[in-house]
Amino acid sequence: MNYNEFEEYVNEYRGLNEDGVWEYGGIDDKHQMIVKGFCYIKILKNTIGKSTHCRDINGVIAYTGDIVLPSPNSNVPSTYKLIKYIPEYGKFVMVSNSPDEDKYYDLTQGMFEIVGNIHQNGQLLNKTTPQQCNKTHVNSAWNFFNTI
């Protein structure tokens, strides 16, 4: 096992701490804490993301809650998508909120770029393309994706 594989295994989850910084490690979701060795770090409620073990075009590991833009080389429309785990399918997918395209797309290694996350950049999901993005309310996007 090389260092990157070890890092993926150890950092299975992430969550935002009270200072707005991502903490990576194991999870004690009953108490909303990230576990690093013998340390327990309190994280903000509902910010827990699970590793997909899939990397984007820059080699960054994707987590649930990440907002991605599919690569122009993929067969997926280049609109913002949210990464979620869908239990019925038993896999991680990119979810679209555009009425003009399919709802779910396979999460394929290296065929997307992470551009933000639902907790810090949720306004991206209110727009379909990067050219349309500006400051808007996060609530409508967050409410849409919580209904899935």
Side-chain angles (χ1 to χ4, degrees), residues 17 23-24 32-36 39-43:
N17 70 19
E23 298 288 351
Y24 297 84
Q32 296 286 311
M33 299 210 177
I34 291 290
V35 181
K36 285 184 175 180
C39 298
Y40 286 73
I41 303 163
K42 180 128 179 81
I43 56 173

Side-chain angles (χ1 to χ4, degrees), residues 28-138:
D28 176 353
D29 55 358
K30 179 180 177 189
H31 299 103
Q32 296 286 311
M33 299 210 177
I34 291 290
V35 181
K36 285 184 175 180
F38 295 109
C39 298
Y40 286 73
I41 303 163
K42 180 128 179 81
I43 56 173
L44 299 175
K45 187 176 181 176
N46 299 323
T47 65
I48 296 170
K50 182 167 178 22
S51 173
T52 65
H53 298 283
C54 193
R55 294 178 182 270
D56 77 349
I57 60 174
N58 299 309
V60 178
I61 298 171
Y63 286 80
T64 54
D66 279 342
I67 298 171
V68 299
L69 196 58
S71 165
N73 300 332
S74 71
N75 293 329
V76 178
S78 289
T79 59
Y80 293 112
K81 312 275 188 290
L82 179 70
I83 295 180
K84 285 194 85 156
Y85 179 76
I86 306 298
E88 299 84 50
Y89 297 138
K91 64 181 180 177
F92 296 97
V93 296
M94 294 183 287
V95 181
S96 172
N97 69 344
S98 173
D100 301 329
E101 53 185 75
D102 293 335
K103 189 168 189 161
Y104 301 124
Y105 294 92
D106 285 337
L107 189 62
T108 306
Q109 186 91 358
M111 295 304 285
F112 61 92
E113 181 176 18
I114 298 169
V115 295
N117 64 75
I118 191 74
H119 310 291
Q120 297 171 313
N121 315 99
Q123 73 275 6
L124 292 174
L125 296 172
N126 292 332
K127 304 297 177 185
T128 49
T129 63
Q131 295 79 20
Q132 293 178 319
C133 189
N134 58 17
K135 294 237 183 237
T136 58
H137 292 303
V138 170

